[in-house]
Amino acid sequence: MNAPVFVDDADRQVCSTVPLNPVLHYMIKFQSLLATVSTVILSATATAKEDHNMYGWRGPLQNGASLEHYTNGKLDPTPAWTRDTHGRGTPVIVDGKVFSFGYRGEKEELIEHLACLDAATGKQLWEIAYKDFISDTVYNRYSIGSPCVDPETKRIYLLSAYGVFLCVDFDGKELWRQSLMEKIGRMTFPNSKVGSPIIEGDLVIIQGITANWGADGPAANRFYGFDKLSGELIWASTPGEIPPKDSSHSTPVLETRDGKRVFWVGTGCGNVVCVNARTGKPLLRHKVSKGGANGSVVLYKNTVIAIHGEENPDTSDKGRLLAIKMPEHFDAEQMVFDPEISPDKWKANEAWRAGVVAETSSPTLVGGHVYQVTEGGELTSLIADTGAIEWQLKLSNKNIHASPFYADGFVYCGFPSGQFFVVKPGDKSAEIIQEIKLEGQCLGAPIICHGQLYVHTTEKLYCFKINNSGITYDAAPLAEVPKVGPASALQIIPSEFILHPGDKRGFKIRSIDKNGFTVADVPKASWESFIPPTAKVKATLDGKFNDAGEIVAEPTAQQSAGAFKATAEGMTGTIRGRILAKPPFEQDFEKFELTEEHPADQYGDAYKFAYPPLPWIGARFKFDIRDLNGNKVLAKNFDRLLFQRAIVFIGTADMSGYTVSADVMTDGNRRSKSDVGVINQRYLIVLKGNANELEVSSNFERFRRAVPFPVKGQQWYSLKTQVQVNANGTGVVLAKAWEKDQPEPAEWTIKAETNPVHRQGSPGLFGFSPQHQMRVYIDNVKVTPNK
């Protein structure tokens, strides 16, 4: 068994020479097959040798159903093998290998891992392990998601709740990784739902709640299309409402419609949306919930079947299963959202509604039947054409996350109680065929591949054999590729970039047709600075393009951010980027002009302010710059309760070996104060107001050290911190605090030893104002190389 590989290198990328040939997977035939997707499972048996792997957790039809059939098949109740690992998701199986997302250990010893196992024996072939940092994950809610595998390159992709985005080859070599928390402001939440990436052509697509910079600064449920080979960003999309109500782990479902490759997915703002998978352009939005829409959808004929478990937008009832009508063609009106829109308009675009409730479980589609496990633990069968309930079978008292899986006439269901059922469905009733008791909670969907069933619990990964005397496979449906049209726009890769002073970089430019399909490479374009007409901050990047088409940041370039427009062959495209200084750099906020007006509200009088530095990740709508007793300072604002806990990154994820210092203060009194601090290499160093402590933490349940330190409201303190990394992978986080204008103490106030230590990470700022009661302030931020 290979030893686990611990990785902590952000944004490591390897550019591959594999050609960018589009590969279309998991799909339903365009037009004609859309009307008959429900019958594909029982279609003609494949006679030639075909690929029958499980590249994604929803299977080849993207609906939780298998294409396998067994002669004399029966599930063996005794596991073929087990693996002692915790998990809440679903493994995927490719070419005799199982790829599992799980975790092991407790408290400070807990690590997440992507493991590759031999499907026949469960023997570990390789593993990549990594630790949580600066997340809100609680109660060991890890690995609520699944990896996916690209059928073309056999690369494995995985996203964690705290934004570690991995690309690994089939032999376990990490090709690239990105820290999306530090790069695009991916936010974390206590529920820690992740979902799964998907592959579309040369793209790997993910989703999450992000608070990036500029126009993407407001927190929103966004989708991102990355080049699956290089990891470079091709597009970002915000198809829903702002702000979101929840973090969704709905996995996008692909199809071809109106000449486009599109995906349908639920969002954290309570919508089901349709997005052009090649460009990220939002095409349709349908409101289904006042909370989040977490379940993955299924496509049936010309409807999208979705479920949720929050309050309905038009009634006080909780949750429903519904079928949304899909248009033959998309138009601009389908993206209009008016908060005052009549609920009747939404209802008119629905084929049916059913009173079936599930907050995080997804439906399974088989023939003309929808199988759904409710939050009350009932397996429910509905007619896909009408939504009429055929039968309900009580299996357990509750269900969280886990979705049913169908194979060869049976539905397989797991529950948090550890109960696992094999059910034979009929038209009017269903029969329990087997019940197996599993160790731990079953929160992930089971999956079947080549006559073996895999199911993850919070204690083990199980593999059961389906004993049989032969396996046949239905032919997987193929997607018809729409014909590429004439070029109409430029697509520039990457669409977003970061430079340091003295850096330069080039771009790949290609033309695309109106539906987003690649037409040709474009060798050269002219460039000009571009300010979007809707930009709140009218800013330009302190860099210029050279004759080779590279953006250049001179050694004297200032911290800045902005966009550029490329023009070639009568077409245009835009990119945006940031210039961030390497240490040493500092910010005292005195040069900002307070020209914006903030109206009076329940928290105080009107005041003038400036937006935070544009290149900082996650600063907008969390902090603003205002006058405080004659000094300009960064203040935590109270505009959005979602941001009562606010993290801002002011550097890049690959930085290391630096010292962060800042002056900080909390409003309040002896009974009520807030928390304020800085970030150094993925550690929070915070003055805890109510606890009267100086605390060092990463995830507070995984790593936390604190010492007593009296914190007074309306008193400025100076903070200083650095991270020392030892050669053996251990380290110590050093921090000191003292009243501002007093001499700096010679000794560190706290020395927090850690094993392993985070070797790098962006510097940043932190503020936590519980329920917006007490404001926090930050000033005189400095980041300098360690001495």
Side-chain angles (χ1 to χ4, degrees):
M1 180 181 77
N2 293 338
V5 179
F6 284 87
V7 288
D8 197 39
D9 297 326
D11 299 314
R12 185 166 64 209
Q13 298 187 357
V14 175
C15 293
S16 171
T17 57
V18 177
L20 299 179
N21 293 328
V23 180
L24 304 176
H25 315 297
Y26 305 141
M27 285 310 306
I28 303 159
K29 263 187 181 178
F30 178 58
Q31 297 284 346
S32 62
L33 280 180
L34 278 171
T36 57
V37 59
S38 60
T39 64
V40 171
I41 296 174
L42 301 178
S43 63
T45 300
T47 55
K49 181 175 175 58
E50 294 184 8
D51 183 345
H52 301 296
N53 292 315
M54 286 292 188
Y55 293 100
W57 76 277
R58 292 293 277 166
L61 302 176
Q62 307 177 101
N63 63 6
S66 168
L67 296 174
E68 298 183 7
H69 300 278
Y70 315 104
T71 303
N72 302 318
K74 184 177 181 181
L75 184 70
D76 189 335
T78 302
W81 54 260
T82 63
R83 171 177 163 84
D84 290 332
T85 180
H86 312 294
R88 288 172 165 80
T90 304
V92 294
I93 305 93
V94 176
D95 293 350
K97 294 182 178 181
V98 179
F99 299 96
S100 168
F101 180 27
Y103 66 97
R104 63 172 176 270
E106 295 290 336
K107 297 182 178 179
E108 292 187 18
E109 304 301 319
L110 190 147
I111 61 169
E112 282 193 297
H113 52 77
L114 171 64
C116 176
L117 314 174
D118 182 272
T121 65
K123 178 183 177 182
Q124 180 176 300
L125 303 176
W126 54 257
E127 178 186 88
I128 293 178
Y130 46 90
K131 298 201 73 165
D132 186 2
F133 58 89
I134 322 181
S135 84
D136 291 335
T137 299
V138 295
Y139 308 131
N140 290 357
R141 289 173 178 164
Y142 288 93
S143 68
I144 306 178
S146 297
C148 78
V149 181
D150 174 25
E152 180 189 28
T153 65
K154 299 297 171 68
R155 294 182 176 191
I156 303 99
Y157 299 88
L158 179 67
L159 177 65
S160 77
Y162 40 95
V164 173
F165 186 26
L166 294 173
C167 173
V168 183
D169 75 10
F170 212 60
D171 297 319
K173 179 183 178 183
E174 185 182 327
L175 300 178
W176 53 258
R177 83 185 315 240
Q178 306 199 39
S179 174
L180 300 186
M181 180 190 294
E182 296 162 295
K183 191 168 186 177
I184 60 173
R186 179 181 171 90
M187 300 177 67
T188 72
F189 301 90
N191 58 41
S192 301
K193 300 192 294 285
V194 181
S196 175
I198 63 167
I199 303 295
E200 166 59 20
D202 61 358
L203 296 168
V204 53
I205 299 171
I206 62 168
Q207 74 149 310
I209 307 296
T210 64
N212 197 356
W213 65 275
D216 288 349
N221 195 155
R222 294 189 174 89
F223 298 82
Y224 295 88
F226 295 86
D227 186 299
K228 70 181 184 183
L229 301 182
S230 69
E232 293 183 313
L233 183 63
I234 295 181
W235 56 255
S237 178
T238 311
E241 302 168 66
I242 298 175
K245 304 295 184 182
D246 190 9
S247 59
S248 174
H249 65 353
S250 179
T251 298
V253 175
L254 293 156
E255 69 154 344
T256 303
R257 181 164 292 270
D258 193 21
K260 305 169 180 64
R261 294 292 292 164
V262 304
F263 63 80
W264 298 84
V265 65
T267 67
C269 54
N271 288 277
V272 170
V273 299
C274 183
V275 177
N276 186 318
R278 296 304 181 96
T279 66
K281 180 181 178 181
L283 300 171
L284 181 145
R285 177 169 60 214
H286 185 93
K287 187 69 173 176
V288 298
S289 168
K290 288 185 177 180
N294 285 284
S296 299
V297 303
V298 293
L299 309 184
Y300 176 73
K301 297 183 177 178
N302 281 305
T303 62
V304 182
I305 298 175
I307 194 165
H308 76 93
E310 300 293 337
E311 185 178 348
N312 293 313
D314 55 345
T315 70
S316 60
D317 296 336
K318 180 182 176 182
R320 65 168 57 122
L321 184 70
L322 69 160
I324 304 164
K325 299 173 186 177
M326 295 191 291
E328 184 177 352
H329 302 286
F330 297 102
D331 59 63
E333 290 186 1
Q334 289 158 342
M335 278 307 299
V336 173
F337 177 78
D338 179 355
E340 304 302 323
I341 195 170
S342 168
D344 292 338
K345 183 172 182 180
W346 297 121
K347 189 172 183 179
N349 198 44
E350 296 169 6
W352 52 259
R353 294 176 172 181
V356 177
V357 180
E359 186 173 351
T360 55
S361 176
S362 303
T364 293
L365 177 67
V366 182
H369 307 277
V370 178
Y371 299 121
Q372 177 70 58
V373 177
T374 69
E375 64 179 16
E378 295 174 312
L379 177 60
T380 303
S381 176
L382 302 94
I383 298 174
D385 286 300
T386 65
I389 295 176
E390 298 177 286
W391 50 259
Q392 290 185 304
L393 180 65
K394 185 72 171 179
L395 296 176
S396 189
N397 291 327
K398 68 175 182 178
N399 182 52
I400 304 172
H401 300 327
S403 304
F405 191 84
Y406 175 91
D408 194 31
F410 297 96
V411 179
Y412 299 82
C413 312
F415 291 91
S417 60
Q419 297 168 283
F420 187 83
F421 293 93
V422 182
V423 176
K424 185 173 181 59
D427 290 338
K428 298 184 182 298
S429 63
E431 177 187 2
I432 297 174
I433 302 300
Q434 286 177 273
E435 179 180 351
I436 302 171
K437 179 63 176 176
L438 305 178
E439 184 179 347
Q441 296 180 311
C442 183
L443 304 178
I447 193 168
I448 294 173
C449 186
H450 300 307
Q452 295 191 158
L453 181 146
Y454 306 86
V455 60
H456 225 318
T457 74
T458 53
E459 295 298 328
K460 294 180 184 293
L461 173 61
Y462 289 86
C463 173
F464 296 92
K465 286 188 177 294
I466 299 176
N467 294 324
N468 64 84
S469 54
I471 304 178
T472 58
Y473 300 85
D474 289 340
L478 301 175
E480 294 183 2
V481 183
K483 183 179 179 181
V484 177
S488 62
L490 300 180
Q491 190 172 66
I492 307 164
I493 306 169
S495 61
E496 188 165 325
F497 64 90
I498 301 173
L499 295 177
H500 297 297
D503 288 350
K504 65 179 180 180
R505 72 151 302 147
F507 299 85
K508 177 180 178 179
I509 307 174
R510 60 192 186 192
S511 60
I512 57 175
D513 69 8
K514 67 177 184 178
N515 294 320
F517 294 104
T518 300
V519 177
D521 290 339
V522 176
K524 190 174 182 180
S526 61
W527 295 90
E528 60 183 305
S529 184
F530 173 70
I531 299 178
T534 58
K536 293 281 187 182
V537 179
K538 309 297 183 182
T540 58
L541 185 127
D542 189 13
K544 295 183 179 180
F545 276 85
N546 61 19
D547 292 340
E550 300 168 317
I551 182 69
V552 179
E554 299 292 343
T556 57
Q558 299 298 302
Q559 175 180 270
S560 55
F564 289 88
K565 180 166 68 174
T567 302
E569 302 171 9
M571 299 173 289
T572 62
T574 60
I575 57 172
R576 66 180 208 154
R578 299 179 290 147
I579 294 177
L580 292 168
K582 291 183 177 180
F585 60 88
E586 60 184 86
Q587 180 59 260
D588 65 7
F589 309 106
E590 292 300 328
K591 293 183 180 180
F592 285 80
E593 297 293 331
L594 309 184
T595 58
E596 303 293 329
E597 297 278 351
H598 192 289
D601 57 24
Q602 61 180 323
Y603 303 109
D605 297 333
Y607 62 90
K608 288 184 175 293
F609 73 96
Y611 289 107
L614 186 60
W616 288 4
I617 292 292
R620 188 177 173 189
F621 298 110
K622 300 178 184 177
F623 290 89
D624 57 38
I625 299 167
R626 64 183 71 181
D627 180 86
L628 184 68
N629 300 324
N631 290 323
K632 294 175 184 175
V633 301
L634 189 71
K636 178 79 177 62
N637 64 40
F638 291 165
D639 291 346
R640 295 183 179 178
L641 191 61
L642 181 67
F643 291 147
Q644 60 180 321
R645 183 182 187 270
I647 289 176
V648 175
F649 292 105
I650 63 177
T652 54
D654 58 352
M655 289 182 175
S656 62
Y658 56 81
T659 298
V660 182
S661 62
D663 295 331
V664 300
M665 183 175 75
T666 172
D667 279 343
N669 50 52
R670 194 170 54 176
R671 300 180 63 182
S672 180
K673 290 164 285 188
S674 289
D675 302 339
V676 60
V678 298
I679 301 170
N680 191 325
Q681 259 173 243
R682 300 177 179 171
Y683 295 97
L684 294 171
I685 299 89
V686 179
L687 284 179
K688 305 281 287 184
N690 292 333
N692 288 298
E693 292 178 334
L694 175 60
E695 178 188 84
V696 175
S697 68
S698 194
N699 173 286
F700 66 89
E701 288 192 352
R702 307 277 79 81
F703 177 80
R704 180 185 181 275
R705 304 284 189 274
V707 295
F709 188 92
V711 180
K712 294 180 287 187
Q714 286 77 49
Q715 169 65 56
W716 281 100
Y717 295 91
S718 294
L719 271 180
K720 188 174 184 179
T721 177
Q722 63 180 234
V723 179
Q724 294 182 353
V725 178
N726 301 322
N728 64 358
T730 65
V732 57
V733 185
L734 305 170
K736 62 176 71 173
W738 66 97
E739 289 188 7
K740 184 183 177 182
D741 299 329
Q742 295 297 311
E744 177 182 341
E747 298 297 321
W748 296 102
T749 310
I750 185 171
K751 298 180 180 180
E753 295 182 351
T754 177
N755 181 21
V757 66
H758 292 302
R759 296 176 178 271
Q760 59 188 32
S762 171
L765 310 173
F766 175 82
F768 178 39
S769 300
Q771 299 302 312
H772 285 173
Q773 292 183 1
M774 298 297 169
R775 206 178 299 276
V776 300
Y777 307 90
I778 301 173
D779 199 8
N780 300 316
V781 179
K782 296 181 181 179
V783 181
T784 57
N786 288 344
K787 296 180 180 179

